[in-house]
Amino acid sequence: MKIDRVNNINKQYLENNIKAKENKNLSKEINKDSGVNIQISDTAKALINKINESNDTAFSEKVEKIRQSIISGNYKVNSEEIADKIINVLESQKGSDIK
């Protein structure tokens, strides 16, 4: 009967979904247990040390203000100011061999 065929297809579909979910959960558990080993290069460590040793508090304060405004959703981008700076850089490079 045709109805039985539809019921069998539906049953197989449901069984496959259940198996897929079980496999997905099992792979998540495996990933949790395996852990990740992260190594930072000596160059990156030296850069971090140099940044931490820097006495430029004004730069750090400016970065912190920008970070806080991004988090709060108040950060505004002035496209005209960015465009002006790009044009100035391009004009300063006109006579150089930088392309």
Side-chain angles (χ1 to χ4, degrees), residues 12 22 36 40 42 45-46 48-49 53 55 57 59 75 82 88 90 98-99:
Q12 287 176 346
E22 288 172 354
V36 176
I40 299 175
D42 292 334
K45 289 176 186 176
I48 291 170
N49 287 336
E53 292 171 0
N55 293 329
T57 57
F59 178 77
Y75 185 71
I82 293 172
N88 289 339
L90 291 175
I98 300 174
K99 295 185 180 184

Side-chain angles (χ1 to χ4, degrees), residues 85-97:
K85 288 182 181 182
I86 291 172
I87 290 171
N88 289 339
V89 168
L90 291 175
E91 286 176 350
S92 70
Q93 292 177 355
K94 267 187 180 174
S96 69
D97 58 353

Side-chain angles (χ1 to χ4, degrees), residues 5 20 42 48 51 56 60 69 75 79 94-95 97:
R5 186 182 306 159
D42 292 334
I48 291 170
I51 290 170
D56 191 2
S60 298
S69 64
Y75 185 71
S79 58
K94 267 187 180 174
D97 58 353

